[in-house]
Amino acid sequence: MSFVEYTADSHFPIQNLPYGVFVKGEQKPHLATAIGDYVLDLNLIAAAGLVQNEKLAHAFQQETLNEFMSLGRASWKEARALITNLLSKDEAALRDNEALRAAALIPQKDVNMLLPARIGDYTDFYSSREHATNVGTMFRGADNALMPNWLHLPVGYHGRASSVVVSGTPVHRPMGQLKPPEGNPVWGACKLFDFEVEMGFFVGPGNALGHRIKIEDAEEHIFGLVLMNDWSARDVQTWEYVPLGPFCAKNFATTISPWIVTLDALEPFRCKGPSQAEPAPLPYLADESPAAFDINLVASLKVGDSVDVICKTNFKYMYWSMKQQLSHHTSTGCNMQPGDLCGSGTISGQDPTSFGSMLELTWRGTKPLTVAGDQERKFINDHDEVIFTGFCQGDGYVVGFGECRGVVLPALE
């Protein structure tokens, strides 16, 4: 238990302790963890001499989490134990130091959260079998829903790291080339604007160019997870994606939640993912260990003052695990670096209420949703706000991710 009080449904109990970066007023960015409704300023904790390990103390006084990410799992575990102890009910070092406690424990409402890392590269995968099957069925028919390679490797594409933004950042509807059913392509604002419910993971220690990360070592290189909304311009995507895949339909914005939840915090919620028996993965991707996590994901649409839940899904539905994604990404010797971001791809389950995009929820616009009492939505309108939340339900506590939200603004012509 912590001396910091919080409710049983708080996303940030002492069992969580995620990492993020915040600013308050005119100060420079500081690293923090979340506890209840507060942020704990790790920069001040280190400056006060409460972090004895010099590497940790130095990392805690940086403006991004990249250096801390690079230190590896042993250092992450040491930091988690240190912070847990400092915040525990029976530890006096912070609890009884009134001046330090007042300075280092800051209400979350009084700070602004930033991107947690300097993201060098961003890769997005396509790893939900249900999502891939739904999309394939819409565009190619049920008999040809999955492409021939899909059950053999984690399909992915390199996204645009420069347009990854933190939760709360408004997103403009993109302009693009659109192809009407008849005639030549035209230039205009996206008409089929969509969200995608995803999780993202941040890479910790990287690998040298030419070397690969083996499946059995992959989690040593995974720092933690965030919620992710991979915004999509479906009409732009339909016209451009053959033969090289997503480009301008995806490069304009990807929103992530500010708090990175570590694998240590998620360990009690580890579980088996879907069966991969037929066909069995090639040996370099073979993994019999429980590599999925039971993370409840909820997507809501805010229209005016009304908020409607439109999707409930779960990270455990993913066919290809994070371990397999990272191992495949580096199988050619591609070098990952601390702070690189990998997206799961849209997370859909078998039930229609668990479909993780408007494309699926409305089945390409043929089954509109009713929101805000009497308004119809086939895709996302200007001034709508998309809100994701995610959490693991423990015994008397919750390990949560907070929110990932973004409001859609009109296109800039």
Side-chain angles (χ1 to χ4, degrees), residues 295-372:
I295 304 172
N296 299 291
L297 300 168
V298 179
S300 300
L301 189 63
K302 184 179 181 184
V303 177
D305 294 327
S306 177
V307 179
D308 292 275
V309 172
I310 57 176
C311 167
K312 291 185 178 180
T313 189
N314 196 295
F315 188 52
K316 68 184 179 183
Y317 298 154
M318 299 303 296
Y319 186 85
W320 294 106
S321 71
M322 294 184 291
K323 293 170 67 176
Q324 291 171 318
Q325 290 170 345
L326 186 57
S327 295
H328 182 66
H329 200 324
T330 65
S331 61
T332 55
C334 172
N335 54 321
M336 308 296 288
Q337 298 178 319
D340 283 355
L341 176 64
C342 292
S344 64
T346 307
I347 303 167
S348 296
Q350 295 182 356
D351 189 278
T353 61
S354 67
F355 293 171
S357 66
M358 290 292 281
L359 179 67
E360 297 166 272
L361 288 167
T362 70
W363 207 254
R364 207 177 176 184
T366 62
K367 301 176 181 179
L369 300 180
T370 299
V371 296

Side-chain angles (χ1 to χ4, degrees), residues 46-336:
L50 297 181
V51 183
Q52 301 302 313
N53 182 309
E54 291 184 3
K55 287 184 177 180
L56 278 183
H58 189 267
F60 281 174
Q61 294 181 80
Q62 304 307 303
E63 295 186 15
T64 69
L65 282 160
N66 294 70
E67 183 174 319
F68 181 47
M69 290 172 169
S70 74
L71 296 181
R73 183 162 297 281
S75 293
W76 305 339
K77 286 183 175 293
E78 182 179 346
R80 180 174 174 82
L82 168 69
I83 296 168
T84 299
N85 184 58
L86 283 175
L87 289 170
S88 66
K89 185 178 180 180
D90 299 324
E91 173 56 45
L94 180 60
R95 183 197 66 197
D96 295 348
N97 186 331
E98 186 175 348
L100 179 60
R101 190 179 72 244
L105 281 170
I106 309 165
Q108 290 193 36
K109 63 181 179 62
D110 293 340
V111 304
N112 292 316
M113 300 302 297
L114 306 179
L115 284 175
R118 184 179 61 257
I119 303 171
D121 275 300
Y122 159 50
T123 299
D124 197 30
F125 287 92
Y126 186 54
S127 292
S128 162
R129 184 171 185 169
E130 290 78 11
H131 173 66
T133 300
N134 288 339
V135 175
T137 299
M138 285 181 219
F139 289 94
R140 293 186 299 274
D143 293 337
N144 192 31
L146 290 181
M147 299 299 283
N149 64 352
W150 200 94
L151 291 171
H152 294 275
L153 57 84
V155 174
Y157 70 93
H158 283 84
R160 184 71 184 175
S162 64
S163 56
V164 177
V165 296
V166 72
S167 175
T169 305
V171 173
H172 282 278
R173 179 179 299 270
M175 301 288 290
Q177 277 201 31
L178 315 174
K179 178 66 170 67
E182 304 292 336
N184 294 323
V186 298
W187 169 256
C190 162
K191 295 179 175 61
L192 309 181
F193 194 55
D194 204 355
F195 66 81
E196 293 187 349
V197 178
E198 301 195 22
M199 301 291 296
F201 70 84
F202 276 95
V203 175
N207 57 300
L209 182 65
H211 296 256
R212 64 188 179 95
I213 296 175
K214 296 182 178 180
I215 190 92
E216 59 267 26
D217 301 324
E219 287 190 354
E220 298 299 310
H221 297 263
I222 297 175
F223 178 72
L225 285 75
V226 291
L227 303 173
M228 175 183 290
N229 182 351
D230 185 32
W231 302 97
S232 299
R234 297 298 186 190
D235 40 5
V236 176
Q237 183 178 2
T238 300
W239 172 234
E240 76 173 5
Y241 84 104
V242 177
L244 293 182
F247 183 34
C248 292
K250 298 277 194 175
N251 69 2
F252 57 92
T254 300
T255 303
I256 64 171
S257 54
W259 294 108
I260 305 177
V261 178
T262 66
L263 292 190
D264 284 330
L266 295 173
E267 186 61 34
F269 311 100
R270 184 184 291 274
C271 60
K272 290 283 287 185
S275 171
Q276 297 180 337
E278 186 58 43
L282 292 177
Y284 81 100
L285 288 174
D287 181 27
E288 296 297 324
S289 68
F293 294 88
D294 185 3
I295 304 172
N296 299 291
L297 300 168
V298 179
S300 300
L301 189 63
K302 184 179 181 184
V303 177
D305 294 327
S306 177
V307 179
D308 292 275
V309 172
I310 57 176
C311 167
K312 291 185 178 180
T313 189
N314 196 295
F315 188 52
K316 68 184 179 183
Y317 298 154
M318 299 303 296
Y319 186 85
W320 294 106
S321 71
M322 294 184 291
K323 293 170 67 176
Q324 291 171 318
Q325 290 170 345
L326 186 57
S327 295
H328 182 66
H329 200 324
T330 65
S331 61
T332 55
C334 172
N335 54 321
M336 308 296 288

